[in-house]
Amino acid sequence: QVQLVESGGGLAQAGGSLTLSCSVSGRIFSLGAMEWHRQAPGKPRELVASITSDGKTDYVDSVKGRFTISRDNAKNSGSLQMNSLEPEDTAVYYCNAGIRLQANRIWNIYWGQGTQVTVSS
């Protein structure tokens, strides 16, 4: 019954900004690392950004300085702030997260449904 729900995708012009959100729906025990991936047509899925449970972040080189990943542990959510967008950022963006449903249970990886980001030139 636990889901990751994405929102915030859409159309933007080059140089513009979008913010993607990823929120946990349902009861969980713990939210672990979160990631954002993207997949453009004809290309493999690419890890864009990640954030650990204690806030350590990492980014693919092509988005460093433009994208910011964050999380709100009180709300069991995360976001990806995308600035200075480029046409090359056009892709379907997917969030994922490690989730522990109960204490002493295994961790599972959950994926959001994906949201389209299109950047026009």
Side-chain angles (χ1 to χ4, degrees):
Q1 279 37 57
V2 171
Q3 295 179 283
L4 287 181
V5 181
E6 298 182 33
S7 63
L11 300 175
Q13 62 183 11
S17 298
L18 287 173
T19 300
L20 307 182
S21 296
C22 179
S23 298
V24 177
S25 175
R27 176 185 174 184
I28 68 170
F29 176 76
S30 185
L31 178 65
M34 303 184 74
E35 299 178 336
W36 288 92
H37 298 243
R38 67 186 180 187
Q39 188 164 25
K43 295 184 178 180
R45 188 168 296 188
E46 174 187 40
L47 175 62
V48 176
S50 63
I51 183 167
T52 66
S53 59
D54 59 355
K56 297 178 181 177
T57 61
D58 202 5
Y59 303 89
V60 68
D61 286 345
S62 61
V63 309
K64 287 181 178 177
R66 301 188 298 118
F67 290 11
T68 302
I69 187 171
S70 62
R71 63 190 293 144
D72 186 337
N73 291 333
K75 297 180 179 179
N76 286 333
S77 66
S79 66
L80 184 69
Q81 176 68 48
M82 304 185 294
N83 298 324
S84 301
L85 284 165
E86 303 169 355
E88 292 74 19
D89 296 318
T90 296
V92 178
Y93 284 71
Y94 300 88
C95 70
N96 75 11
I99 292 176
R100 199 174 196 177
L101 297 180
Q102 296 181 9
N104 300 319
R105 300 283 284 271
I106 64 170
W107 293 80
N108 298 102
I109 304 298
Y110 286 75
W111 287 85
Q113 78 280 6
T115 184
Q116 176 72 48
V117 171
T118 302
V119 183
S120 64
S121 60

PDB file of all heavy atoms in Angstrom, residues 67-97:
ATOM      1  N   PHE A  67      21.182  21.585 -10.684  1.00  0.00           N
ATOM      2  CA  PHE A  67      20.151  20.825  -9.990  1.00  0.00           C
ATOM      3  C   PHE A  67      20.511  20.704  -8.519  1.00  0.00           C
ATOM      4  O   PHE A  67      21.692  20.605  -8.154  1.00  0.00           O
ATOM      5  CB  PHE A  67      20.014  19.417 -10.567  1.00  0.00           C
ATOM      6  CG  PHE A  67      19.426  19.337 -11.948  1.00  0.00           C
ATOM      7  CD1 PHE A  67      19.246  20.461 -12.736  1.00  0.00           C
ATOM      8  CD2 PHE A  67      19.050  18.107 -12.459  1.00  0.00           C
ATOM      9  CE1 PHE A  67      18.716  20.379 -14.007  1.00  0.00           C
ATOM     10  CE2 PHE A  67      18.512  17.999 -13.726  1.00  0.00           C
ATOM     11  CZ  PHE A  67      18.344  19.136 -14.505  1.00  0.00           C
ATOM     12  N   THR A  68      19.488  20.668  -7.679  1.00  0.00           N
ATOM     13  CA  THR A  68      19.679  20.471  -6.252  1.00  0.00           C
ATOM     14  C   THR A  68      18.685  19.441  -5.744  1.00  0.00           C
ATOM     15  O   THR A  68      17.472  19.607  -5.901  1.00  0.00           O
ATOM     16  CB  THR A  68      19.497  21.776  -5.464  1.00  0.00           C
ATOM     17  OG1 THR A  68      20.419  22.766  -5.937  1.00  0.00           O
ATOM     18  CG2 THR A  68      19.758  21.536  -3.978  1.00  0.00           C
ATOM     19  N   ILE A  69      19.192  18.382  -5.142  1.00  0.00           N
ATOM     20  CA  ILE A  69      18.339  17.374  -4.543  1.00  0.00           C
ATOM     21  C   ILE A  69      18.216  17.663  -3.051  1.00  0.00           C
ATOM     22  O   ILE A  69      19.176  18.085  -2.404  1.00  0.00           O
ATOM     23  CB  ILE A  69      18.886  15.955  -4.798  1.00  0.00           C
ATOM     24  CG1 ILE A  69      17.896  14.893  -4.309  1.00  0.00           C
ATOM     25  CG2 ILE A  69      20.257  15.760  -4.170  1.00  0.00           C
ATOM     26  CD1 ILE A  69      18.276  13.479  -4.723  1.00  0.00           C
ATOM     27  N   SER A  70      17.041  17.450  -2.508  1.00  0.00           N
ATOM     28  CA  SER A  70      16.820  17.682  -1.094  1.00  0.00           C
ATOM     29  C   SER A  70      15.790  16.695  -0.570  1.00  0.00           C
ATOM     30  O   SER A  70      15.154  15.966  -1.343  1.00  0.00           O
ATOM     31  CB  SER A  70      16.374  19.124  -0.828  1.00  0.00           C
ATOM     32  OG  SER A  70      15.146  19.402  -1.473  1.00  0.00           O
ATOM     33  N   ARG A  71      15.630  16.680   0.736  1.00  0.00           N
ATOM     34  CA  ARG A  71      14.640  15.809   1.359  1.00  0.00           C
ATOM     35  C   ARG A  71      14.054  16.483   2.577  1.00  0.00           C
ATOM     36  O   ARG A  71      14.667  17.373   3.177  1.00  0.00           O
ATOM     37  CB  ARG A  71      15.263  14.456   1.743  1.00  0.00           C
ATOM     38  CG  ARG A  71      16.370  14.563   2.785  1.00  0.00           C
ATOM     39  CD  ARG A  71      17.094  13.233   2.942  1.00  0.00           C
ATOM     40  NE  ARG A  71      16.222  12.215   3.510  1.00  0.00           N
ATOM     41  CZ  ARG A  71      16.250  10.928   3.167  1.00  0.00           C
ATOM     42  NH1 ARG A  71      17.103  10.510   2.235  1.00  0.00           N
ATOM     43  NH2 ARG A  71      15.426  10.066   3.747  1.00  0.00           N
ATOM     44  N   ASP A  72      12.865  16.066   2.932  1.00  0.00           N
ATOM     45  CA  ASP A  72      12.189  16.551   4.121  1.00  0.00           C
ATOM     46  C   ASP A  72      11.758  15.315   4.899  1.00  0.00           C
ATOM     47  O   ASP A  72      10.734  14.704   4.597  1.00  0.00           O
ATOM     48  CB  ASP A  72      10.988  17.424   3.754  1.00  0.00           C
ATOM     49  CG  ASP A  72      10.340  18.074   4.959  1.00  0.00           C
ATOM     50  OD1 ASP A  72      10.499  17.565   6.086  1.00  0.00           O
ATOM     51  OD2 ASP A  72       9.668  19.111   4.779  1.00  0.00           O
ATOM     52  N   ASN A  73      12.554  14.950   5.873  1.00  0.00           N
ATOM     53  CA  ASN A  73      12.290  13.708   6.592  1.00  0.00           C
ATOM     54  C   ASN A  73      10.980  13.752   7.377  1.00  0.00           C
ATOM     55  O   ASN A  73      10.331  12.719   7.560  1.00  0.00           O
ATOM     56  CB  ASN A  73      13.457  13.393   7.534  1.00  0.00           C
ATOM     57  CG  ASN A  73      14.712  13.005   6.782  1.00  0.00           C
ATOM     58  OD1 ASN A  73      14.658  12.501   5.665  1.00  0.00           O
ATOM     59  ND2 ASN A  73      15.864  13.240   7.400  1.00  0.00           N
ATOM     60  N   ALA A  74      10.599  14.940   7.844  1.00  0.00           N
ATOM     61  CA  ALA A  74       9.351  15.055   8.579  1.00  0.00           C
ATOM     62  C   ALA A  74       8.145  14.759   7.699  1.00  0.00           C
ATOM     63  O   ALA A  74       7.097  14.330   8.198  1.00  0.00           O
ATOM     64  CB  ALA A  74       9.228  16.447   9.194  1.00  0.00           C
ATOM     65  N   LYS A  75       8.272  15.009   6.410  1.00  0.00           N
ATOM     66  CA  LYS A  75       7.178  14.780   5.472  1.00  0.00           C
ATOM     67  C   LYS A  75       7.360  13.529   4.623  1.00  0.00           C
ATOM     68  O   LYS A  75       6.524  13.248   3.761  1.00  0.00           O
ATOM     69  CB  LYS A  75       7.013  15.991   4.563  1.00  0.00           C
ATOM     70  CG  LYS A  75       6.638  17.273   5.286  1.00  0.00           C
ATOM     71  CD  LYS A  75       6.481  18.433   4.309  1.00  0.00           C
ATOM     72  CE  LYS A  75       6.076  19.704   5.029  1.00  0.00           C
ATOM     73  NZ  LYS A  75       5.935  20.842   4.087  1.00  0.00           N
ATOM     74  N   ASN A  76       8.444  12.804   4.835  1.00  0.00           N
ATOM     75  CA  ASN A  76       8.757  11.620   4.020  1.00  0.00           C
ATOM     76  C   ASN A  76       8.704  11.957   2.533  1.00  0.00           C
ATOM     77  O   ASN A  76       8.044  11.275   1.739  1.00  0.00           O
ATOM     78  CB  ASN A  76       7.811  10.470   4.346  1.00  0.00           C
ATOM     79  CG  ASN A  76       8.115   9.816   5.676  1.00  0.00           C
ATOM     80  OD1 ASN A  76       9.255   9.826   6.144  1.00  0.00           O
ATOM     81  ND2 ASN A  76       7.096   9.228   6.294  1.00  0.00           N
ATOM     82  N   SER A  77       9.423  13.000   2.178  1.00  0.00           N
ATOM     83  CA  SER A  77       9.397  13.447   0.798  1.00  0.00           C
ATOM     84  C   SER A  77      10.765  13.945   0.369  1.00  0.00           C
ATOM     85  O   SER A  77      11.651  14.183   1.190  1.00  0.00           O
ATOM     86  CB  SER A  77       8.351  14.544   0.597  1.00  0.00           C
ATOM     87  OG  SER A  77       8.713  15.716   1.309  1.00  0.00           O
ATOM     88  N   GLY A  78      10.918  14.109  -0.927  1.00  0.00           N
ATOM     89  CA  GLY A  78      12.125  14.666  -1.492  1.00  0.00           C
ATOM     90  C   GLY A  78      11.785  15.490  -2.706  1.00  0.00           C
ATOM     91  O   GLY A  78      10.662  15.452  -3.215  1.00  0.00           O
ATOM     92  N   SER A  79      12.758  16.239  -3.177  1.00  0.00           N
ATOM     93  CA  SER A  79      12.525  17.076  -4.340  1.00  0.00           C
ATOM     94  C   SER A  79      13.801  17.232  -5.142  1.00  0.00           C
ATOM     95  O   SER A  79      14.909  16.990  -4.651  1.00  0.00           O
ATOM     96  CB  SER A  79      11.982  18.453  -3.933  1.00  0.00           C
ATOM     97  OG  SER A  79      12.952  19.186  -3.208  1.00  0.00           O
ATOM     98  N   LEU A  80      13.616  17.620  -6.383  1.00  0.00           N
ATOM     99  CA  LEU A  80      14.720  17.936  -7.277  1.00  0.00           C
ATOM    100  C   LEU A  80      14.436  19.297  -7.886  1.00  0.00           C
ATOM    101  O   LEU A  80      13.511  19.435  -8.693  1.00  0.00           O
ATOM    102  CB  LEU A  80      14.872  16.878  -8.371  1.00  0.00           C
ATOM    103  CG  LEU A  80      16.057  17.065  -9.316  1.00  0.00           C
ATOM    104  CD1 LEU A  80      17.370  16.825  -8.574  1.00  0.00           C
ATOM    105  CD2 LEU A  80      15.943  16.136 -10.519  1.00  0.00           C
ATOM    106  N   GLN A  81      15.202  20.285  -7.472  1.00  0.00           N
ATOM    107  CA  GLN A  81      15.096  21.630  -8.021  1.00  0.00           C
ATOM    108  C   GLN A  81      15.998  21.726  -9.237  1.00  0.00           C
ATOM    109  O   GLN A  81      17.206  21.516  -9.131  1.00  0.00           O
ATOM    110  CB  GLN A  81      15.495  22.667  -6.974  1.00  0.00           C
ATOM    111  CG  GLN A  81      15.503  24.104  -7.487  1.00  0.00           C
ATOM    112  CD  GLN A  81      14.126  24.607  -7.816  1.00  0.00           C
ATOM    113  OE1 GLN A  81      13.203  24.456  -7.021  1.00  0.00           O
ATOM    114  NE2 GLN A  81      13.967  25.191  -9.001  1.00  0.00           N
ATOM    115  N   MET A  82      15.421  22.031 -10.379  1.00  0.00           N
ATOM    116  CA  MET A  82      16.144  22.083 -11.634  1.00  0.00           C
ATOM    117  C   MET A  82      16.148  23.517 -12.148  1.00  0.00           C
ATOM    118  O   MET A  82      15.094  24.068 -12.482  1.00  0.00           O
ATOM    119  CB  MET A  82      15.525  21.146 -12.667  1.00  0.00           C
ATOM    120  CG  MET A  82      15.418  19.700 -12.189  1.00  0.00           C
ATOM    121  SD  MET A  82      14.803  18.575 -13.474  1.00  0.00           S
ATOM    122  CE  MET A  82      13.141  19.214 -13.664  1.00  0.00           C
ATOM    123  N   ASN A  83      17.323  24.104 -12.212  1.00  0.00           N
ATOM    124  CA  ASN A  83      17.496  25.457 -12.710  1.00  0.00           C
ATOM    125  C   ASN A  83      18.330  25.443 -13.982  1.00  0.00           C
ATOM    126  O   ASN A  83      19.004  24.465 -14.292  1.00  0.00           O
ATOM    127  CB  ASN A  83      18.181  26.339 -11.662  1.00  0.00           C
ATOM    128  CG  ASN A  83      17.387  26.493 -10.395  1.00  0.00           C
ATOM    129  OD1 ASN A  83      16.153  26.550 -10.423  1.00  0.00           O
ATOM    130  ND2 ASN A  83      18.081  26.565  -9.268  1.00  0.00           N
ATOM    131  N   SER A  84      18.289  26.553 -14.701  1.00  0.00           N
ATOM    132  CA  SER A  84      19.062  26.694 -15.938  1.00  0.00           C
ATOM    133  C   SER A  84      18.864  25.493 -16.849  1.00  0.00           C
ATOM    134  O   SER A  84      19.819  24.909 -17.372  1.00  0.00           O
ATOM    135  CB  SER A  84      20.551  26.889 -15.619  1.00  0.00           C
ATOM    136  OG  SER A  84      20.759  28.039 -14.819  1.00  0.00           O
ATOM    137  N   LEU A  85      17.620  25.136 -17.043  1.00  0.00           N
ATOM    138  CA  LEU A  85      17.303  23.944 -17.822  1.00  0.00           C
ATOM    139  C   LEU A  85      17.793  24.058 -19.254  1.00  0.00           C
ATOM    140  O   LEU A  85      17.800  25.144 -19.841  1.00  0.00           O
ATOM    141  CB  LEU A  85      15.805  23.694 -17.804  1.00  0.00           C
ATOM    142  CG  LEU A  85      15.265  23.095 -16.504  1.00  0.00           C
ATOM    143  CD1 LEU A  85      13.751  23.228 -16.442  1.00  0.00           C
ATOM    144  CD2 LEU A  85      15.681  21.631 -16.384  1.00  0.00           C
ATOM    145  N   GLU A  86      18.182  22.933 -19.796  1.00  0.00           N
ATOM    146  CA  GLU A  86      18.671  22.819 -21.156  1.00  0.00           C
ATOM    147  C   GLU A  86      17.831  21.795 -21.902  1.00  0.00           C
ATOM    148  O   GLU A  86      17.270  20.890 -21.289  1.00  0.00           O
ATOM    149  CB  GLU A  86      20.143  22.394 -21.160  1.00  0.00           C
ATOM    150  CG  GLU A  86      21.055  23.320 -20.376  1.00  0.00           C
ATOM    151  CD  GLU A  86      22.441  22.741 -20.170  1.00  0.00           C
ATOM    152  OE1 GLU A  86      22.669  21.571 -20.548  1.00  0.00           O
ATOM    153  OE2 GLU A  86      23.309  23.472 -19.639  1.00  0.00           O
ATOM    154  N   PRO A  87      17.740  21.908 -23.226  1.00  0.00           N
ATOM    155  CA  PRO A  87      16.999  20.898 -23.981  1.00  0.00           C
ATOM    156  C   PRO A  87      17.468  19.473 -23.715  1.00  0.00           C
ATOM    157  O   PRO A  87      16.665  18.537 -23.767  1.00  0.00           O
ATOM    158  CB  PRO A  87      17.227  21.307 -25.440  1.00  0.00           C
ATOM    159  CG  PRO A  87      17.428  22.785 -25.375  1.00  0.00           C
ATOM    160  CD  PRO A  87      18.178  23.022 -24.093  1.00  0.00           C
ATOM    161  N   GLU A  88      18.745  19.310 -23.424  1.00  0.00           N
ATOM    162  CA  GLU A  88      19.293  17.995 -23.135  1.00  0.00           C
ATOM    163  C   GLU A  88      18.754  17.395 -21.839  1.00  0.00           C
ATOM    164  O   GLU A  88      18.947  16.206 -21.587  1.00  0.00           O
ATOM    165  CB  GLU A  88      20.821  18.056 -23.082  1.00  0.00           C
ATOM    166  CG  GLU A  88      21.496  18.342 -24.422  1.00  0.00           C
ATOM    167  CD  GLU A  88      21.364  19.796 -24.866  1.00  0.00           C
ATOM    168  OE1 GLU A  88      21.081  20.669 -24.020  1.00  0.00           O
ATOM    169  OE2 GLU A  88      21.549  20.059 -26.071  1.00  0.00           O
ATOM    170  N   ASP A  89      18.096  18.202 -21.019  1.00  0.00           N
ATOM    171  CA  ASP A  89      17.484  17.695 -19.799  1.00  0.00           C
ATOM    172  C   ASP A  89      16.140  17.020 -20.058  1.00  0.00           C
ATOM    173  O   ASP A  89      15.556  16.438 -19.140  1.00  0.00           O
ATOM    174  CB  ASP A  89      17.288  18.819 -18.788  1.00  0.00           C
ATOM    175  CG  ASP A  89      18.596  19.428 -18.322  1.00  0.00           C
ATOM    176  OD1 ASP A  89      19.552  18.668 -18.077  1.00  0.00           O
ATOM    177  OD2 ASP A  89      18.654  20.666 -18.196  1.00  0.00           O
ATOM    178  N   THR A  90      15.645  17.106 -21.271  1.00  0.00           N
ATOM    179  CA  THR A  90      14.367  16.494 -21.609  1.00  0.00           C
ATOM    180  C   THR A  90      14.430  14.985 -21.412  1.00  0.00           C
ATOM    181  O   THR A  90      15.289  14.306 -21.970  1.00  0.00           O
ATOM    182  CB  THR A  90      13.986  16.819 -23.055  1.00  0.00           C
ATOM    183  OG1 THR A  90      13.785  18.226 -23.189  1.00  0.00           O
ATOM    184  CG2 THR A  90      12.715  16.094 -23.460  1.00  0.00           C
ATOM    185  N   ALA A  91      13.522  14.459 -20.612  1.00  0.00           N
ATOM    186  CA  ALA A  91      13.503  13.038 -20.286  1.00  0.00           C
ATOM    187  C   ALA A  91      12.314  12.764 -19.384  1.00  0.00           C
ATOM    188  O   ALA A  91      11.656  13.684 -18.894  1.00  0.00           O
ATOM    189  CB  ALA A  91      14.802  12.622 -19.581  1.00  0.00           C
ATOM    190  N   VAL A  92      12.059  11.485 -19.164  1.00  0.00           N
ATOM    191  CA  VAL A  92      11.161  11.069 -18.103  1.00  0.00           C
ATOM    192  C   VAL A  92      11.992  10.912 -16.841  1.00  0.00           C
ATOM    193  O   VAL A  92      13.008  10.214 -16.845  1.00  0.00           O
ATOM    194  CB  VAL A  92      10.433   9.762 -18.434  1.00  0.00           C
ATOM    195  CG1 VAL A  92       9.539   9.335 -17.269  1.00  0.00           C
ATOM    196  CG2 VAL A  92       9.606   9.920 -19.704  1.00  0.00           C
ATOM    197  N   TYR A  93      11.573  11.560 -15.785  1.00  0.00           N
ATOM    198  CA  TYR A  93      12.301  11.539 -14.527  1.00  0.00           C
ATOM    199  C   TYR A  93      11.598  10.621 -13.534  1.00  0.00           C
ATOM    200  O   TYR A  93      10.383  10.688 -13.347  1.00  0.00           O
ATOM    201  CB  TYR A  93      12.407  12.948 -13.941  1.00  0.00           C
ATOM    202  CG  TYR A  93      13.439  13.800 -14.644  1.00  0.00           C
ATOM    203  CD1 TYR A  93      13.214  14.266 -15.939  1.00  0.00           C
ATOM    204  CD2 TYR A  93      14.644  14.123 -14.027  1.00  0.00           C
ATOM    205  CE1 TYR A  93      14.163  15.027 -16.598  1.00  0.00           C
ATOM    206  CE2 TYR A  93      15.594  14.887 -14.672  1.00  0.00           C
ATOM    207  CZ  TYR A  93      15.351  15.338 -15.958  1.00  0.00           C
ATOM    208  OH  TYR A  93      16.301  16.101 -16.601  1.00  0.00           O
ATOM    209  N   TYR A  94      12.380   9.774 -12.896  1.00  0.00           N
ATOM    210  CA  TYR A  94      11.873   8.816 -11.923  1.00  0.00           C
ATOM    211  C   TYR A  94      12.578   9.015 -10.583  1.00  0.00           C
ATOM    212  O   TYR A  94      13.799   9.108 -10.537  1.00  0.00           O
ATOM    213  CB  TYR A  94      12.130   7.373 -12.371  1.00  0.00           C
ATOM    214  CG  TYR A  94      11.504   6.984 -13.689  1.00  0.00           C
ATOM    215  CD1 TYR A  94      12.178   7.186 -14.885  1.00  0.00           C
ATOM    216  CD2 TYR A  94      10.254   6.391 -13.722  1.00  0.00           C
ATOM    217  CE1 TYR A  94      11.613   6.818 -16.095  1.00  0.00           C
ATOM    218  CE2 TYR A  94       9.681   6.013 -14.926  1.00  0.00           C
ATOM    219  CZ  TYR A  94      10.367   6.227 -16.105  1.00  0.00           C
ATOM    220  OH  TYR A  94       9.807   5.852 -17.301  1.00  0.00           O
ATOM    221  N   CYS A  95      11.816   9.043  -9.525  1.00  0.00           N
ATOM    222  CA  CYS A  95      12.428   9.015  -8.207  1.00  0.00           C
ATOM    223  C   CYS A  95      12.409   7.593  -7.675  1.00  0.00           C
ATOM    224  O   CYS A  95      11.582   6.766  -8.078  1.00  0.00           O
ATOM    225  CB  CYS A  95      11.719   9.955  -7.229  1.00  0.00           C
ATOM    226  SG  CYS A  95      10.056   9.456  -6.725  1.00  0.00           S
ATOM    227  N   ASN A  96      13.343   7.280  -6.797  1.00  0.00           N
ATOM    228  CA  ASN A  96      13.256   6.047  -6.043  1.00  0.00           C
ATOM    229  C   ASN A  96      13.752   6.293  -4.626  1.00  0.00           C
ATOM    230  O   ASN A  96      14.380   7.309  -4.331  1.00  0.00           O
ATOM    231  CB  ASN A  96      13.980   4.875  -6.729  1.00  0.00           C
ATOM    232  CG  ASN A  96      15.497   4.912  -6.639  1.00  0.00           C
ATOM    233  OD1 ASN A  96      16.095   5.691  -5.892  1.00  0.00           O
ATOM    234  ND2 ASN A  96      16.140   4.048  -7.411  1.00  0.00           N
ATOM    235  N   ALA A  97      13.425   5.360  -3.763  1.00  0.00           N
ATOM    236  CA  ALA A  97      13.792   5.497  -2.369  1.00  0.00           C
ATOM    237  C   ALA A  97      13.856   4.134  -1.718  1.00  0.00           C
ATOM    238  O   ALA A  97      13.081   3.232  -2.052  1.00  0.00           O
ATOM    239  CB  ALA A  97      12.791   6.381  -1.620  1.00  0.00           C
TER     240      ALA A  97
END
